[in-house]
Amino acid sequence: MLRVEEINVYYGNIQALKDVSLEINQGEIVTLIGANGAGKSTLLKTISGLLKPKQGQVIYEGRNIAGKAAQAIVKMGISHVPEGRRVFANMTVEENLDLGAYLRKDKAGIREDAEKVYGLFPRLLERRKQHSGTLSGGEQQMLAMGRALMARPRLLVLDEPSMGLAPLLVKTIFRIIEEINAAGTTILLVEQNAHMALSIASRAYVLETGRVVLSGTPDELNASEKVKMAYLGGH
Amino acid sequence: MELVQQLVNGISLGSIYALIALGYTMVYGIVKLINFAHGDVFMVGSFMGFYSITILDLSFFPALVLTMAACALFGVAIERIAYKPLRNATRIAALITAIGVSLLIEYGVIYFRGAQPEAYPGDVLPKETISLFGLSVSSQSIFILGVSVALMILLQFIVHKTKIGKAMRAVSHDADAARLMGINVNNTISATFAIGSALAGAAGVIFGTYYIKIEPLMGIIPGLKAFVAAVLGGIGIIPGAMVGGLLLGVIEALVSALGYSLWRDGAAFVVLILILIFLPSGLFGKNVREKV
Ligand SMILES: Nc1ncnc2c1ncn2[C@@H]1O[C@H](COP(=O)(O)OP(=O)(O)OP(=O)(O)O)[C@@H](O)[C@H]1O
Ligand SMILES: [Mg+2]
């Protein structure tokens, strides 16, 4: 479905991604783990069109989308839930969800999807008219995910959805990610919580200072000494 | 009675400030730029209105609509040519550019038509004294206030109920997050300049019909005062610009009414200094000190 081919991405003179390649097949949950500053968010931003790679290609359903405008990429079916949620704090929950469907014109379908999002996150339904800036961190994460789902993505890209959330809430979020996947949406998940991420992933990649250093199935990665030491707390 | 008429004058003048202040505040909200050329769009609007009325022989409303449309295009042109290439430059570079654009427009107008003032025909709007609740006020003041308020209501409708309005609010809050929704940020910024400039153009026509005399440097002082009004309300906040404009107009009128008309222009800047000291984020802003 998506193939990233040897991309190099820079911030000014600083190279953040070096010859990174990665593949996601239809229906998978692929996770990308790595330490702070490894370049995980940079990779996601390049896929969703917020950054342009200097070299390399991003092939989505047979077309190179590298360097295309973000709005064109959303339209093609990739939605990105950014790190730190980035909900529109000055707007209500409902308005945030509406903006998620910005490119769509099928009013009935939009309403149907909003119902689905409220079904997935009943907390959002209770707070429909509330300004999203006053939501808790967990609720904002739900809203950011719901907002991305409103575009009816085929590939949902999530950047550290568990960041700053209480363990119980992390569990809920991961369960919902699995539900979204089961309903037919392919998922690319960036996580620092490697344990949880590997527990739901079909395949995983490990990024270290801008390079992919390891990839494989969760079992393979769980068995790797290196991964154990660096990302699973040495157990 | 005198005081009531002064108050009404203040509100009319204030509604002109408010219309200009809206453009300042909307543009600041979305690109964090103090568009110092905005007062000159007001001036250009005033001249367009004048030519529409005198040369094209239009009456008030057609002249207003034509001017608003032309100023919208003018504002978009300014943004695309002068500001867009500097989108990622430092704020000071953009600010200096804005001052340059302002001078270019002022002296461009002088170059093409000369520096001499022009007078709006006196009969664009009926001039009568009407009595309201037993008080007599000029019909023009009421008319101006009505047109301004209608435009502000229209703006609120656009900003809160339409797709482009929602996109404007999203971009002004977080441009990258807006991109991820599929919003075209460049077009949204252009739309913001278009709407802000149309309102400044409307203010120009209203100003001309009310105060008669217009000239190429007329945008400077109202532009500065509208900027003060925008800061007074809280820069970037639309209702703040409306209230700030009206309040400033009323303050000026009261200063005049108290017999200090020479101090009228100074009053605006005293207000600015007081806000910056005591309410740095303005009346409607969250008053936490922002690092600049
Ligand atoms: N806007 C920017 N300008 C310059 N350098 C940047 C910028 N954004 C990120 N970087 C640098 O690029 C590298 C990769 O950053 P990135 O945000 O992709 O890391 P990450 O893996 O997502 O980290 P984290 O887990 O902390 O979110 C880092 O060294 C970072 O300092
Ligand atoms: Mg990151």
Side-chain angles (χ1 to χ4, degrees):
Chain A
M1 178 180 218
L2 184 90
R3 218 167 55 239
V4 175
E5 291 179 349
E6 307 207 325
I7 56 168
N8 288 299
V9 179
Y10 292 77
Y11 292 105
N13 292 323
I14 304 163
Q15 188 167 8
L17 292 181
K18 297 162 193 152
D19 293 325
V20 169
S21 298
L22 157 154
E23 193 168 3
I24 303 169
N25 301 311
Q26 182 91 41
E28 282 187 315
I29 297 181
V30 171
T31 184
L32 182 64
I33 57 182
N36 290 114
K40 306 179 296 294
S41 299
T42 303
L43 177 55
L44 299 196
K45 286 179 191 167
T46 311
I47 291 172
S48 62
L50 293 178
L51 295 171
K52 278 188 179 52
K54 201 163 202 171
Q55 283 106 26
Q57 297 192 314
V58 179
I59 310 289
Y60 173 68
E61 298 187 330
R63 286 160 67 187
N64 184 13
I65 58 167
K68 268 200 192 308
Q71 79 252 19
I73 293 176
V74 182
K75 198 157 200 174
M76 293 171 75
I78 301 181
S79 281
H80 177 174
V81 181
E83 186 175 347
R85 290 98 200 209
R86 312 277 285 266
V87 296
F88 299 108
N90 53 344
M91 296 185 214
T92 63
V93 167
E94 213 168 28
E95 287 176 311
N96 270 271
L97 292 182
D98 275 353
L99 278 168
Y102 187 78
L103 291 174
R104 294 173 56 183
K105 298 201 166 60
D106 54 323
K107 281 225 168 73
I110 293 172
R111 217 169 318 122
E112 198 178 292
D113 284 353
E115 293 310 317
K116 273 190 202 155
V117 167
Y118 289 133
L120 219 45
F121 305 106
R123 284 280 266 289
L124 296 182
L125 183 61
E126 289 163 32
R127 299 177 195 285
R128 231 169 67 210
K129 303 280 179 199
Q130 192 171 325
H131 273 249
S132 66
T134 62
L135 297 179
S136 74
E139 290 161 352
Q140 290 192 0
Q141 184 60 48
M142 295 174 189
L143 179 57
M145 289 169 63
R147 186 180 66 175
L149 288 174
M150 290 303 292
R152 241 186 218 183
R154 272 171 293 152
L155 173 62
L156 181 65
V157 171
L158 298 157
D159 198 344
E160 302 202 26
S162 75
M163 191 169 58
L165 302 187
L168 202 62
L169 206 50
V170 174
K171 275 212 174 109
T172 311
I173 295 282
F174 272 78
R175 180 180 51 74
I176 289 171
I177 292 172
E178 284 188 291
E179 271 178 46
I180 294 169
N181 178 247
T185 309
T186 307
I187 285 173
L188 173 58
L189 170 67
V190 159
E191 261 303 330
Q192 296 221 7
N193 191 336
H195 245 317
M196 288 294 282
L198 289 174
S199 74
I200 65 166
S202 340
R203 285 182 312 109
Y205 290 81
V206 179
L207 205 59
E208 225 167 66
T209 56
R211 282 181 201 283
V212 173
V213 292
L214 211 61
S215 65
T217 63
D219 287 342
E220 287 163 357
L221 264 70
N222 277 324
S224 145
E225 282 305 314
K226 197 172 150 70
V227 172
K228 265 190 210 162
M229 292 308 293
Y231 307 106
L232 298 174
H235 308 304
Chain B
M1 288 306 109
E2 174 64 12
L3 185 68
V4 172
Q5 182 59 50
Q6 286 283 8
L7 267 181
V8 172
N9 289 347
I11 292 171
S12 309
L13 178 63
S15 61
I16 293 175
Y17 291 156
L19 287 176
I20 309 174
L22 284 166
Y24 265 119
T25 235
M26 289 168 69
V27 163
Y28 182 85
I30 207 156
V31 284
K32 302 290 173 278
L33 166 75
I34 304 292
N35 177 17
F36 274 113
H38 192 60
D40 301 297
V41 175
F42 159 76
M43 174 272 290
V44 167
S46 205
F47 274 96
M48 281 180 185
F50 173 77
Y51 294 127
S52 315
I53 290 166
T54 56
I55 296 176
L56 301 180
D57 224 7
L58 297 179
S59 60
F60 179 80
F61 280 109
L64 184 75
V65 171
L66 181 67
T67 301
M68 287 176 73
C71 282
L73 292 178
F74 186 48
V76 171
I78 293 173
E79 191 270 326
R80 288 271 150 132
I81 295 167
Y83 301 146
K84 193 176 166 214
L86 295 173
R87 196 72 54 73
N88 297 315
T90 57
R91 277 209 216 175
I92 193 76
L95 193 67
I96 291 168
T97 304
I99 294 171
V101 171
S102 166
L103 292 170
L104 183 71
I105 298 172
E106 286 161 15
Y107 292 93
V109 170
I110 290 178
Y111 178 82
F112 284 110
R113 66 160 294 284
Q116 76 282 6
E118 209 75 72
Y120 263 64
D123 56 357
V124 182
L125 295 175
K127 213 182 255 164
E128 283 158 33
T129 303
I130 51 176
S131 64
L132 214 65
F133 312 117
L135 304 166
S136 57
V137 290
S138 92
S139 60
Q140 282 196 336
S141 309
I142 302 295
F143 185 80
I144 283 176
L145 186 62
V147 173
S148 307
V149 169
L151 287 172
M152 291 182 213
I153 291 171
L154 179 65
L155 176 70
Q156 282 297 48
F157 175 79
I158 292 174
V159 168
H160 288 278
K161 297 289 175 220
T162 67
K163 216 160 178 174
I164 187 68
K166 284 182 182 161
M168 283 163 52
R169 284 192 295 151
V171 174
S172 75
H173 188 262
D174 185 337
D176 270 346
R179 276 191 186 92
L180 293 178
M181 302 299 105
I183 292 170
N184 183 327
V185 170
N186 283 333
N187 289 354
T188 307
I189 291 173
S190 291
T192 307
F193 271 85
I195 294 172
S197 303
L199 292 174
V205 180
I206 293 173
F207 181 95
T209 51
Y210 194 59
Y211 295 98
I212 307 296
K213 191 186 134 194
I214 62 171
E215 47 98 11
L217 300 181
M218 65 184 271
I220 299 174
I221 295 292
L224 283 174
K225 288 186 183 166
F227 170 64
V228 172
V231 174
L232 172 60
I235 189 101
I237 303 166
I238 288 176
M242 298 180 187
V243 172
L246 289 170
L247 209 55
L248 193 64
V250 169
I251 291 172
E252 286 193 4
L254 290 182
V255 169
S256 297
L258 293 174
Y260 300 101
S261 51
L262 284 177
W263 290 88
R264 219 184 60 174
D265 287 351
F269 300 100
V270 170
V271 168
L272 178 64
I273 291 166
L274 292 178
I275 310 162
L276 291 178
I277 294 173
F278 296 108
L279 272 180
S281 307
L283 297 174
F284 286 58
K286 290 181 209 69
N287 274 290
V288 281
R289 270 172 201 278
E290 192 195 353
K291 286 195 207 101
V292 270

